[in-house]
């Protein structure tokens, strides 16, 4: 189900920063676990970061821990991925995802998400 919209992707030099935003087109972010995934052509989609419904718990993949941060603003129906100290290996298409949840739990598995964005390209040059 494609019902989210990502923005903020682009090209940046290594060591630079980008801020990705995700907004809903048909569903409110509140009441949903959220996540950012990324995918390189020919490779499997991988979890980057995840956040629970209330925004009081977050998960970061080891590859981005210490450099990326996930946050959400339920009042604005947005999720954000702040990416700092970007590396060439961060180059990928980034997808935001949301999953309705009845309790305040975090989800890190692709199969658990129902709502997705179309993806936004992030390219990190050397």
């Amino acid at each position: 189900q494609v019902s989210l919209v990502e923005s903020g992707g682009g090209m940046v030099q290594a060591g630079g920063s980008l801020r990705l935003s995700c907004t809903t087109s048909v569903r409110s972010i509140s009441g949903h676990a959220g996540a950012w995934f990324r995918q390189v052509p020919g490779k499997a989609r991988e979890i980057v970061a995840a956040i629970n419904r209330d925004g009081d718990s977050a998960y970061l993949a080891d590859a981005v821990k210490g450099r990326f941060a996930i946050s959400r603003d339920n009042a604005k129906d947005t999720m954000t991925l702040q990416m700092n100290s970007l590396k060439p290996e961060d180059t990928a298409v980034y997808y935001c995802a949301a999953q309705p949840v009845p309790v305040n739990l975090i989800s890190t598995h692709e199969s658990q998400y129902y709502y997705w964005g179309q993806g936004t390209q992030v390219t990190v040059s050397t």
Side-chain angles (χ1 to χ4, degrees):
Q1 180 77 6
V2 179
S3 57
L4 306 176
V5 179
E6 303 98 341
S7 63
M11 180 176 288
V12 65
Q13 294 186 40
S17 299
L18 283 175
R19 180 182 174 91
L20 304 183
S21 295
C22 174
T23 61
T24 180
S25 58
V26 296
R27 297 288 187 273
S28 174
I29 297 299
S30 62
H32 296 70
W36 288 91
F37 294 82
R38 67 185 182 187
Q39 186 171 29
V40 176
K43 296 184 178 180
R45 189 174 299 179
E46 64 180 23
I47 181 71
V48 176
I51 192 166
N52 65 353
R53 185 189 66 193
D54 293 343
D56 56 5
S57 182
Y59 164 87
L60 291 172
D62 289 343
V64 304
K65 191 174 184 178
R67 300 187 297 117
F68 291 11
I70 186 172
S71 62
R72 66 189 301 162
D73 187 339
N74 288 343
K76 298 181 179 179
D77 287 338
T78 62
M79 291 189 295
T80 299
L81 183 68
Q82 179 65 48
M83 304 184 293
N84 299 322
S85 301
L86 283 161
K87 303 175 180 179
E89 50 263 46
D90 294 319
T91 296
V93 176
Y94 284 71
Y95 300 87
C96 64
Q99 174 67 29
V101 290
V103 294
N104 192 30
L105 298 176
I106 195 167
S107 297
T108 59
H109 298 92
E110 179 181 356
S111 62
Q112 296 178 313
Y113 284 88
Y114 181 70
Y115 298 105
W116 291 84
Q118 293 276 31
T120 185
Q121 178 70 47
V122 171
T123 301
V124 184
S125 62
T126 59

